[in-house]
Amino acid sequence: MSRCAAVTGLLSPPPHAPLARPIADALDYPDLAQQAREGLIRPFVEDFECTCGMPQRRLHPVSGSSDVWQDHRMLRLTDFIIDCPDAMKLAAFYSEVTGLPVKDGSNEHWAGIQLGDIELAFTPVEDYRPPQWPGSEHPKQFHLDFEVDDIEAEQRRVLALGATLHRDITDPDGYGFRVYTDPTGHPFCLCRNKGVTWTEQGPVWPQRDQ
């Protein structure tokens, strides 16, 4: 896309500029591209029409860690999973507590309650030992699921933040999940499910066959 001399350079983002994924490497801003790779900025691009009538593209450098979560990052918390001896029984309990129904399709292997965009889920484990709060001998059990659009890129990011990879359950096409622990040992997963598409609002899940 050509650039008009009148708009060449970096401009301040307008109040309602559309956000896009950072693509500084694809533009003619080598210094900003390097800063983006180092995580110092989170740039986004805006396509618009110049007063001369020609289509233009400009890049906005968004700096500072406080802005990282304002660029519609392609990662969303989707599930909060609790270990238990009986998934359906515990789901029924929390259904009563919250006043929300147990999701259709729940079974003895996985039961869930939809809480807005996040599913509270329950899964059985063998030799379950209940937590004895506030003691630490049998601590609380849970893990978090994050849906991602690029598992390799997000893995690099979480490892750099101090996470540890424990298990890779992805297929040759990159679908599946990987299990990590955070710096204090709590488990979480990065998941990439086949059929999920991404919008500015987050992931869109495919319709299940009825």
Side-chain angles (χ1 to χ4, degrees):
M1 182 177 293
S2 63
R3 291 190 179 86
C4 172
V7 296
T8 299
L10 301 177
L11 305 179
S12 298
H16 303 293
L19 297 179
R21 301 199 65 198
I23 58 171
D25 291 349
L27 302 178
D28 298 329
Y29 301 101
D31 293 338
L32 289 177
Q34 180 60 34
Q35 292 181 60
R37 285 192 294 270
E38 294 174 356
L40 300 178
I41 64 171
R42 295 286 299 175
F44 62 86
V45 294
E46 177 192 6
D47 293 325
F48 66 103
E49 185 173 295
C50 180
T51 54
C52 67
M54 296 184 63
Q56 303 294 332
R57 170 169 289 180
R58 58 189 170 194
L59 179 145
H60 305 295
V62 181
S63 61
S65 59
S66 62
D67 295 317
V68 167
W69 294 101
Q70 299 177 19
D71 67 353
H72 296 275
R73 178 181 295 284
M74 298 300 181
L75 177 151
R76 293 289 187 277
L77 177 64
T78 57
D79 300 271
F80 190 97
I81 299 98
I82 300 176
D83 290 350
C84 60
D86 188 318
M88 289 297 290
K89 186 174 181 178
L90 192 57
F93 170 80
Y94 279 103
S95 175
E96 290 293 327
V97 169
T98 62
L100 297 171
V102 176
K103 291 181 63 176
D104 290 341
S106 294
N107 54 49
E108 68 272 20
H109 304 296
W110 178 284
I113 300 170
Q114 198 67 39
L115 303 173
D117 293 333
I118 299 174
E119 179 176 346
L120 180 62
F122 310 90
T123 183
V125 296
E126 295 182 2
D127 300 323
Y128 175 77
R129 292 187 298 171
Q132 297 178 1
W133 186 89
S136 59
E137 183 177 355
H138 302 298
K140 297 183 292 294
Q141 301 106 7
F142 70 87
H143 77 273
L144 306 176
D145 277 0
F146 294 95
E147 184 69 21
V148 302
D149 74 325
D150 186 334
I151 201 167
E152 299 295 342
E154 295 299 344
Q155 173 170 287
R156 289 191 294 270
R157 192 172 66 84
V158 299
L159 293 180
L161 291 171
T164 301
L165 173 65
H166 286 270
R167 187 174 298 177
D168 184 351
I169 313 294
T170 54
D171 64 24
D173 295 326
Y175 295 104
F177 63 94
R178 294 175 184 172
V179 183
Y180 309 78
T181 51
D182 67 22
T184 59
H186 297 118
F188 67 93
C189 297
L190 297 183
C191 310
R192 182 169 179 247
N193 286 286
K194 187 173 294 187
V196 173
T197 57
W198 284 82
T199 69
E200 290 295 312
Q201 289 72 41
V204 177
W205 299 83
Q207 295 293 323
R208 294 181 178 178
D209 294 333
Q210 299 297 324

PDB file of all heavy atoms in Angstrom, residues 25-51:
ATOM      1  N   ASP A  25       6.668  -5.823  11.955  1.00  0.00           N
ATOM      2  CA  ASP A  25       7.690  -6.444  11.123  1.00  0.00           C
ATOM      3  C   ASP A  25       7.361  -6.330   9.642  1.00  0.00           C
ATOM      4  O   ASP A  25       8.244  -6.370   8.797  1.00  0.00           O
ATOM      5  CB  ASP A  25       7.854  -7.919  11.489  1.00  0.00           C
ATOM      6  CG  ASP A  25       8.485  -8.073  12.859  1.00  0.00           C
ATOM      7  OD1 ASP A  25       8.971  -7.079  13.423  1.00  0.00           O
ATOM      8  OD2 ASP A  25       8.489  -9.208  13.346  1.00  0.00           O
ATOM      9  N   ALA A  26       6.073  -6.243   9.313  1.00  0.00           N
ATOM     10  CA  ALA A  26       5.655  -6.209   7.914  1.00  0.00           C
ATOM     11  C   ALA A  26       5.673  -4.793   7.349  1.00  0.00           C
ATOM     12  O   ALA A  26       5.443  -4.598   6.174  1.00  0.00           O
ATOM     13  CB  ALA A  26       4.266  -6.798   7.764  1.00  0.00           C
ATOM     14  N   LEU A  27       5.945  -3.804   8.189  1.00  0.00           N
ATOM     15  CA  LEU A  27       5.930  -2.420   7.754  1.00  0.00           C
ATOM     16  C   LEU A  27       7.348  -1.877   7.684  1.00  0.00           C
ATOM     17  O   LEU A  27       8.308  -2.533   8.091  1.00  0.00           O
ATOM     18  CB  LEU A  27       5.089  -1.574   8.717  1.00  0.00           C
ATOM     19  CG  LEU A  27       3.634  -2.039   8.865  1.00  0.00           C
ATOM     20  CD1 LEU A  27       2.922  -1.161   9.883  1.00  0.00           C
ATOM     21  CD2 LEU A  27       2.923  -1.957   7.539  1.00  0.00           C
ATOM     22  N   ASP A  28       7.473  -0.669   7.182  1.00  0.00           N
ATOM     23  CA  ASP A  28       8.792  -0.074   7.001  1.00  0.00           C
ATOM     24  C   ASP A  28       9.212   0.719   8.227  1.00  0.00           C
ATOM     25  O   ASP A  28       9.595   1.889   8.146  1.00  0.00           O
ATOM     26  CB  ASP A  28       8.783   0.841   5.764  1.00  0.00           C
ATOM     27  CG  ASP A  28       8.472   0.073   4.494  1.00  0.00           C
ATOM     28  OD1 ASP A  28       8.831  -1.114   4.429  1.00  0.00           O
ATOM     29  OD2 ASP A  28       7.880   0.666   3.578  1.00  0.00           O
ATOM     30  N   TYR A  29       9.156   0.076   9.396  1.00  0.00           N
ATOM     31  CA  TYR A  29       9.567   0.714  10.633  1.00  0.00           C
ATOM     32  C   TYR A  29      10.512  -0.244  11.376  1.00  0.00           C
ATOM     33  O   TYR A  29      10.147  -0.855  12.362  1.00  0.00           O
ATOM     34  CB  TYR A  29       8.351   1.029  11.519  1.00  0.00           C
ATOM     35  CG  TYR A  29       7.340   1.941  10.878  1.00  0.00           C
ATOM     36  CD1 TYR A  29       6.173   1.424  10.331  1.00  0.00           C
ATOM     37  CD2 TYR A  29       7.553   3.309  10.816  1.00  0.00           C
ATOM     38  CE1 TYR A  29       5.239   2.243   9.747  1.00  0.00           C
ATOM     39  CE2 TYR A  29       6.613   4.143  10.240  1.00  0.00           C
ATOM     40  CZ  TYR A  29       5.453   3.607   9.704  1.00  0.00           C
ATOM     41  OH  TYR A  29       4.519   4.438   9.135  1.00  0.00           O
ATOM     42  N   PRO A  30      11.739  -0.389  10.894  1.00  0.00           N
ATOM     43  CA  PRO A  30      12.636  -1.381  11.496  1.00  0.00           C
ATOM     44  C   PRO A  30      12.901  -1.154  12.976  1.00  0.00           C
ATOM     45  O   PRO A  30      12.993  -2.106  13.754  1.00  0.00           O
ATOM     46  CB  PRO A  30      13.914  -1.245  10.670  1.00  0.00           C
ATOM     47  CG  PRO A  30      13.828   0.125  10.049  1.00  0.00           C
ATOM     48  CD  PRO A  30      12.370   0.357   9.805  1.00  0.00           C
ATOM     49  N   ASP A  31      13.022   0.097  13.411  1.00  0.00           N
ATOM     50  CA  ASP A  31      13.283   0.359  14.829  1.00  0.00           C
ATOM     51  C   ASP A  31      12.106  -0.073  15.691  1.00  0.00           C
ATOM     52  O   ASP A  31      12.261  -0.696  16.744  1.00  0.00           O
ATOM     53  CB  ASP A  31      13.589   1.838  15.052  1.00  0.00           C
ATOM     54  CG  ASP A  31      14.905   2.258  14.411  1.00  0.00           C
ATOM     55  OD1 ASP A  31      15.753   1.381  14.177  1.00  0.00           O
ATOM     56  OD2 ASP A  31      15.067   3.468  14.149  1.00  0.00           O
ATOM     57  N   LEU A  32      10.894   0.269  15.234  1.00  0.00           N
ATOM     58  CA  LEU A  32       9.712  -0.133  15.979  1.00  0.00           C
ATOM     59  C   LEU A  32       9.518  -1.641  15.943  1.00  0.00           C
ATOM     60  O   LEU A  32       9.054  -2.247  16.906  1.00  0.00           O
ATOM     61  CB  LEU A  32       8.475   0.566  15.433  1.00  0.00           C
ATOM     62  CG  LEU A  32       8.380   2.071  15.712  1.00  0.00           C
ATOM     63  CD1 LEU A  32       7.133   2.639  15.056  1.00  0.00           C
ATOM     64  CD2 LEU A  32       8.363   2.341  17.201  1.00  0.00           C
ATOM     65  N   ALA A  33       9.872  -2.244  14.810  1.00  0.00           N
ATOM     66  CA  ALA A  33       9.747  -3.695  14.701  1.00  0.00           C
ATOM     67  C   ALA A  33      10.624  -4.376  15.745  1.00  0.00           C
ATOM     68  O   ALA A  33      10.218  -5.349  16.379  1.00  0.00           O
ATOM     69  CB  ALA A  33      10.130  -4.158  13.297  1.00  0.00           C
ATOM     70  N   GLN A  34      11.849  -3.860  15.921  1.00  0.00           N
ATOM     71  CA  GLN A  34      12.742  -4.435  16.919  1.00  0.00           C
ATOM     72  C   GLN A  34      12.180  -4.238  18.324  1.00  0.00           C
ATOM     73  O   GLN A  34      12.200  -5.157  19.153  1.00  0.00           O
ATOM     74  CB  GLN A  34      14.130  -3.797  16.824  1.00  0.00           C
ATOM     75  CG  GLN A  34      15.138  -4.348  17.834  1.00  0.00           C
ATOM     76  CD  GLN A  34      15.367  -5.837  17.660  1.00  0.00           C
ATOM     77  OE1 GLN A  34      15.338  -6.358  16.551  1.00  0.00           O
ATOM     78  NE2 GLN A  34      15.589  -6.539  18.770  1.00  0.00           N
ATOM     79  N   GLN A  35      11.633  -3.066  18.606  1.00  0.00           N
ATOM     80  CA  GLN A  35      11.037  -2.818  19.917  1.00  0.00           C
ATOM     81  C   GLN A  35       9.841  -3.742  20.157  1.00  0.00           C
ATOM     82  O   GLN A  35       9.618  -4.199  21.277  1.00  0.00           O
ATOM     83  CB  GLN A  35      10.594  -1.362  20.034  1.00  0.00           C
ATOM     84  CG  GLN A  35      11.746  -0.372  20.058  1.00  0.00           C
ATOM     85  CD  GLN A  35      11.248   1.050  20.196  1.00  0.00           C
ATOM     86  OE1 GLN A  35      10.587   1.389  21.180  1.00  0.00           O
ATOM     87  NE2 GLN A  35      11.533   1.883  19.215  1.00  0.00           N
ATOM     88  N   ALA A  36       9.084  -4.005  19.091  1.00  0.00           N
ATOM     89  CA  ALA A  36       7.937  -4.904  19.228  1.00  0.00           C
ATOM     90  C   ALA A  36       8.397  -6.309  19.555  1.00  0.00           C
ATOM     91  O   ALA A  36       7.805  -6.993  20.395  1.00  0.00           O
ATOM     92  CB  ALA A  36       7.114  -4.892  17.940  1.00  0.00           C
ATOM     93  N   ARG A  37       9.482  -6.768  18.873  1.00  0.00           N
ATOM     94  CA  ARG A  37       9.994  -8.108  19.143  1.00  0.00           C
ATOM     95  C   ARG A  37      10.497  -8.226  20.573  1.00  0.00           C
ATOM     96  O   ARG A  37      10.432  -9.290  21.178  1.00  0.00           O
ATOM     97  CB  ARG A  37      11.100  -8.453  18.143  1.00  0.00           C
ATOM     98  CG  ARG A  37      10.595  -8.793  16.745  1.00  0.00           C
ATOM     99  CD  ARG A  37      11.707  -9.397  15.894  1.00  0.00           C
ATOM    100  NE  ARG A  37      12.764  -8.439  15.613  1.00  0.00           N
ATOM    101  CZ  ARG A  37      12.762  -7.628  14.546  1.00  0.00           C
ATOM    102  NH1 ARG A  37      11.764  -7.673  13.680  1.00  0.00           N
ATOM    103  NH2 ARG A  37      13.752  -6.797  14.345  1.00  0.00           N
ATOM    104  N   GLU A  38      11.025  -7.140  21.127  1.00  0.00           N
ATOM    105  CA  GLU A  38      11.543  -7.145  22.492  1.00  0.00           C
ATOM    106  C   GLU A  38      10.442  -6.922  23.521  1.00  0.00           C
ATOM    107  O   GLU A  38      10.686  -6.935  24.723  1.00  0.00           O
ATOM    108  CB  GLU A  38      12.611  -6.054  22.641  1.00  0.00           C
ATOM    109  CG  GLU A  38      13.864  -6.324  21.792  1.00  0.00           C
ATOM    110  CD  GLU A  38      14.849  -5.169  21.830  1.00  0.00           C
ATOM    111  OE1 GLU A  38      14.519  -4.139  22.464  1.00  0.00           O
ATOM    112  OE2 GLU A  38      15.939  -5.307  21.249  1.00  0.00           O
ATOM    113  N   GLY A  39       9.200  -6.701  23.050  1.00  0.00           N
ATOM    114  CA  GLY A  39       8.085  -6.522  23.959  1.00  0.00           C
ATOM    115  C   GLY A  39       8.009  -5.149  24.589  1.00  0.00           C
ATOM    116  O   GLY A  39       7.280  -4.944  25.561  1.00  0.00           O
ATOM    117  N   LEU A  40       8.744  -4.179  24.027  1.00  0.00           N
ATOM    118  CA  LEU A  40       8.743  -2.836  24.593  1.00  0.00           C
ATOM    119  C   LEU A  40       7.526  -2.033  24.165  1.00  0.00           C
ATOM    120  O   LEU A  40       7.105  -1.113  24.862  1.00  0.00           O
ATOM    121  CB  LEU A  40      10.021  -2.090  24.188  1.00  0.00           C
ATOM    122  CG  LEU A  40      11.333  -2.756  24.640  1.00  0.00           C
ATOM    123  CD1 LEU A  40      12.523  -1.960  24.136  1.00  0.00           C
ATOM    124  CD2 LEU A  40      11.369  -2.872  26.159  1.00  0.00           C
ATOM    125  N   ILE A  41       6.968  -2.353  23.011  1.00  0.00           N
ATOM    126  CA  ILE A  41       5.772  -1.668  22.543  1.00  0.00           C
ATOM    127  C   ILE A  41       4.820  -2.687  21.968  1.00  0.00           C
ATOM    128  O   ILE A  41       5.206  -3.811  21.638  1.00  0.00           O
ATOM    129  CB  ILE A  41       6.092  -0.600  21.463  1.00  0.00           C
ATOM    130  CG1 ILE A  41       6.674  -1.269  20.208  1.00  0.00           C
ATOM    131  CG2 ILE A  41       6.997   0.478  22.002  1.00  0.00           C
ATOM    132  CD1 ILE A  41       6.806  -0.328  19.036  1.00  0.00           C
ATOM    133  N   ARG A  42       3.552  -2.301  21.840  1.00  0.00           N
ATOM    134  CA  ARG A  42       2.535  -3.126  21.203  1.00  0.00           C
ATOM    135  C   ARG A  42       1.891  -2.289  20.112  1.00  0.00           C
ATOM    136  O   ARG A  42       0.866  -1.653  20.318  1.00  0.00           O
ATOM    137  CB  ARG A  42       1.491  -3.572  22.226  1.00  0.00           C
ATOM    138  CG  ARG A  42       2.024  -4.493  23.295  1.00  0.00           C
ATOM    139  CD  ARG A  42       2.263  -5.867  22.763  1.00  0.00           C
ATOM    140  NE  ARG A  42       1.044  -6.477  22.282  1.00  0.00           N
ATOM    141  CZ  ARG A  42       0.988  -7.647  21.687  1.00  0.00           C
ATOM    142  NH1 ARG A  42       2.088  -8.318  21.435  1.00  0.00           N
ATOM    143  NH2 ARG A  42      -0.157  -8.133  21.302  1.00  0.00           N
ATOM    144  N   PRO A  43       2.501  -2.226  18.923  1.00  0.00           N
ATOM    145  CA  PRO A  43       1.966  -1.362  17.879  1.00  0.00           C
ATOM    146  C   PRO A  43       0.732  -1.952  17.213  1.00  0.00           C
ATOM    147  O   PRO A  43       0.515  -3.150  17.240  1.00  0.00           O
ATOM    148  CB  PRO A  43       3.125  -1.290  16.873  1.00  0.00           C
ATOM    149  CG  PRO A  43       3.809  -2.605  17.029  1.00  0.00           C
ATOM    150  CD  PRO A  43       3.698  -2.967  18.499  1.00  0.00           C
ATOM    151  N   PHE A  44      -0.103  -1.078  16.636  1.00  0.00           N
ATOM    152  CA  PHE A  44      -1.194  -1.560  15.809  1.00  0.00           C
ATOM    153  C   PHE A  44      -1.282  -0.647  14.591  1.00  0.00           C
ATOM    154  O   PHE A  44      -0.702   0.432  14.546  1.00  0.00           O
ATOM    155  CB  PHE A  44      -2.525  -1.614  16.567  1.00  0.00           C
ATOM    156  CG  PHE A  44      -3.047  -0.296  17.063  1.00  0.00           C
ATOM    157  CD1 PHE A  44      -3.813   0.510  16.248  1.00  0.00           C
ATOM    158  CD2 PHE A  44      -2.777   0.116  18.350  1.00  0.00           C
ATOM    159  CE1 PHE A  44      -4.310   1.708  16.700  1.00  0.00           C
ATOM    160  CE2 PHE A  44      -3.279   1.321  18.814  1.00  0.00           C
ATOM    161  CZ  PHE A  44      -4.041   2.121  17.995  1.00  0.00           C
ATOM    162  N   VAL A  45      -1.967  -1.098  13.555  1.00  0.00           N
ATOM    163  CA  VAL A  45      -2.051  -0.347  12.314  1.00  0.00           C
ATOM    164  C   VAL A  45      -3.471   0.114  12.081  1.00  0.00           C
ATOM    165  O   VAL A  45      -4.423  -0.493  12.554  1.00  0.00           O
ATOM    166  CB  VAL A  45      -1.575  -1.186  11.104  1.00  0.00           C
ATOM    167  CG1 VAL A  45      -0.103  -1.489  11.193  1.00  0.00           C
ATOM    168  CG2 VAL A  45      -2.402  -2.436  10.966  1.00  0.00           C
ATOM    169  N   GLU A  46      -3.590   1.210  11.332  1.00  0.00           N
ATOM    170  CA  GLU A  46      -4.895   1.749  10.968  1.00  0.00           C
ATOM    171  C   GLU A  46      -4.906   2.000   9.469  1.00  0.00           C
ATOM    172  O   GLU A  46      -4.019   2.652   8.925  1.00  0.00           O
ATOM    173  CB  GLU A  46      -5.152   3.056  11.715  1.00  0.00           C
ATOM    174  CG  GLU A  46      -6.478   3.707  11.312  1.00  0.00           C
ATOM    175  CD  GLU A  46      -6.582   5.139  11.827  1.00  0.00           C
ATOM    176  OE1 GLU A  46      -5.601   5.649  12.383  1.00  0.00           O
ATOM    177  OE2 GLU A  46      -7.661   5.731  11.640  1.00  0.00           O
ATOM    178  N   ASP A  47      -5.883   1.450   8.788  1.00  0.00           N
ATOM    179  CA  ASP A  47      -6.092   1.730   7.376  1.00  0.00           C
ATOM    180  C   ASP A  47      -7.106   2.857   7.250  1.00  0.00           C
ATOM    181  O   ASP A  47      -8.131   2.847   7.925  1.00  0.00           O
ATOM    182  CB  ASP A  47      -6.600   0.485   6.647  1.00  0.00           C
ATOM    183  CG  ASP A  47      -5.550  -0.613   6.594  1.00  0.00           C
ATOM    184  OD1 ASP A  47      -4.363  -0.267   6.485  1.00  0.00           O
ATOM    185  OD2 ASP A  47      -5.916  -1.793   6.683  1.00  0.00           O
ATOM    186  N   PHE A  48      -6.838   3.835   6.382  1.00  0.00           N
ATOM    187  CA  PHE A  48      -7.730   4.967   6.231  1.00  0.00           C
ATOM    188  C   PHE A  48      -7.522   5.567   4.843  1.00  0.00           C
ATOM    189  O   PHE A  48      -6.634   5.162   4.092  1.00  0.00           O
ATOM    190  CB  PHE A  48      -7.453   6.019   7.314  1.00  0.00           C
ATOM    191  CG  PHE A  48      -6.092   6.673   7.198  1.00  0.00           C
ATOM    192  CD1 PHE A  48      -5.963   7.949   6.669  1.00  0.00           C
ATOM    193  CD2 PHE A  48      -4.955   5.997   7.600  1.00  0.00           C
ATOM    194  CE1 PHE A  48      -4.720   8.534   6.541  1.00  0.00           C
ATOM    195  CE2 PHE A  48      -3.709   6.576   7.473  1.00  0.00           C
ATOM    196  CZ  PHE A  48      -3.587   7.860   6.957  1.00  0.00           C
ATOM    197  N   GLU A  49      -8.356   6.528   4.488  1.00  0.00           N
ATOM    198  CA  GLU A  49      -8.253   7.196   3.203  1.00  0.00           C
ATOM    199  C   GLU A  49      -7.752   8.611   3.428  1.00  0.00           C
ATOM    200  O   GLU A  49      -8.306   9.376   4.214  1.00  0.00           O
ATOM    201  CB  GLU A  49      -9.611   7.229   2.494  1.00  0.00           C
ATOM    202  CG  GLU A  49      -9.530   7.808   1.078  1.00  0.00           C
ATOM    203  CD  GLU A  49     -10.841   7.676   0.339  1.00  0.00           C
ATOM    204  OE1 GLU A  49     -11.251   6.529   0.070  1.00  0.00           O
ATOM    205  OE2 GLU A  49     -11.440   8.725   0.052  1.00  0.00           O
ATOM    206  N   CYS A  50      -6.654   8.957   2.743  1.00  0.00           N
ATOM    207  CA  CYS A  50      -6.066  10.284   2.872  1.00  0.00           C
ATOM    208  C   CYS A  50      -6.966  11.325   2.201  1.00  0.00           C
ATOM    209  O   CYS A  50      -7.858  10.996   1.409  1.00  0.00           O
ATOM    210  CB  CYS A  50      -4.675  10.292   2.232  1.00  0.00           C
ATOM    211  SG  CYS A  50      -3.831  11.880   2.330  1.00  0.00           S
ATOM    212  N   THR A  51      -6.718  12.602   2.526  1.00  0.00           N
ATOM    213  CA  THR A  51      -7.486  13.669   1.894  1.00  0.00           C
ATOM    214  C   THR A  51      -7.247  13.727   0.392  1.00  0.00           C
ATOM    215  O   THR A  51      -8.058  14.284  -0.349  1.00  0.00           O
ATOM    216  CB  THR A  51      -7.116  15.024   2.519  1.00  0.00           C
ATOM    217  OG1 THR A  51      -5.691  15.205   2.441  1.00  0.00           O
ATOM    218  CG2 THR A  51      -7.545  15.084   3.986  1.00  0.00           C
TER     219      THR A  51
END
